[in-house]
Amino acid sequence: MAFCSNCGTQVPAGAAACPNCGSAQSVSAYPAGSSTQPGGLTDNVAGALAYVTIIPAILFLILAPYNRNRFVRFHAFQCIFFAIAWAVLWVLLGMFVHIPLLGWASALLWPLIWLAGFILWLVLVFKAYQGQKFKLPVIGDIAEQQANSVQ
């Protein structure tokens, strides 16, 4: 999957110009899904690295050429929103534990919730590495809106 180096729109394979902004596209020696420049990261690696911690996600939104690539921007925003949702969930669970009887019983579910979140995180990393846009139900839509917004 190739993206325009100017606006980040997905460009059909072999297209001479971007269908969105009309800028000329160079023929790349790299395989589909790995649009990069020599010495840089491929899109799929950058997308997967965005999920490592929130710091690479923020850096990919700041640093060029990654901040112009919609694929990388999508995964960076989805990582940030997922981290925020995960933190909010743990704060709510931390407050819930103070409810008598129910709180102690809920503490037994904490390892299962943590395991489910870890598995979801692994899926996000592997899907990004495979060059796919795996959207989480609510967070993915918000991330896609942000990734497609004009800078």
Side-chain angles (χ1 to χ4, degrees), residues 8-78:
T9 303
Q10 187 173 352
V11 179
C18 173
N20 185 35
C21 68
S23 67
Q25 300 297 306
S26 62
V27 178
S28 176
Y30 300 100
S34 65
S35 60
T36 185
Q37 297 178 6
L41 295 173
T42 58
D43 293 348
N44 62 334
V45 172
L49 283 176
Y51 289 106
V52 172
T53 63
I54 200 167
I55 294 170
I58 293 170
L59 288 176
F60 286 139
L61 292 175
I62 296 171
L63 300 174
Y66 306 108
N67 63 353
R68 293 187 303 261
N69 186 320
R70 286 189 179 162
F71 180 79
V72 176
R73 285 170 47 93
F74 167 77
H75 287 291
F77 276 119
Q78 184 163 262

Side-chain angles (χ1 to χ4, degrees), residues 79-109:
C79 170
I80 292 169
F81 296 145
F82 179 67
I84 291 169
W86 190 247
V88 168
L89 173 69
W90 283 106
V91 167
L92 293 176
L93 286 174
M95 292 185 332
F96 188 74
V97 77
H98 295 291
I99 298 174
L101 193 61
L102 287 176
W104 286 98
S106 72
L108 299 174
L109 295 176

